[in-house]
Amino acid sequence: PEPLPRSELLDSFAKSSRRLILLGLLGTLINYSDFKEMHPLSDKLWGDLLTLASDPGNCVVVITGRERGLVSQWLGDLPVWVVAENGVFVRLGGPSTEWACPLEPVE
């Protein structure tokens, strides 16, 4: 696909009052080798995510197939929504928010 027109994207972002920002953990926020070696998020990335998540007009969602305990270690106390284990568990807020399973049990 063609790249998004950057100036139009930034202009639309600035003009909107509500934004849903969906980010993949591996390959978008961190590369696989850093993840595999358990390198923490960089201070810059941490700060950028905190800035985005602290804006009341933004809803920041980090999506991953990784295990929720591991994701909790990576994202710590960032006030972001997290979808982990390929959508089996969600946490809608920071670390004080409980993980939930949106799936109904199969009988």
Side-chain angles (χ1 to χ4, degrees):
E2 292 185 33
L4 294 172
R6 183 179 173 99
S7 61
E8 289 177 39
L9 178 69
L10 294 174
D11 186 48
S12 293
F13 186 90
K15 288 179 181 175
S16 70
S17 61
R18 296 181 67 198
R19 303 169 202 93
L20 176 62
I21 303 168
L22 304 171
L23 302 167
L25 182 63
L26 292 181
T28 302
L29 294 177
I30 57 176
N31 65 46
Y32 185 73
S33 63
D34 285 345
F35 178 82
K36 195 169 139 182
E37 295 173 15
M38 291 302 295
H39 291 233
L41 297 178
S42 70
D43 291 341
K44 174 156 179 23
L45 176 57
W46 184 272
D48 290 345
L49 287 171
L50 183 59
T51 299
L52 283 172
S54 296
D55 183 327
N58 293 341
C59 178
V60 179
V61 182
V62 178
I63 304 163
T64 183
R66 300 299 166 179
E67 196 269 330
R68 63 186 175 204
L70 190 56
V71 175
S72 291
Q73 289 177 348
W74 273 88
L75 300 176
D77 56 357
L78 282 170
V80 299
W81 292 15
V82 182
V83 178
E85 299 184 35
N86 294 313
V88 174
F89 290 97
V90 296
R91 186 183 79 187
L92 306 179
S96 62
T97 307
E98 294 292 321
W99 285 96
C101 178
L103 304 175
E104 294 186 25
V106 177
E107 296 183 27

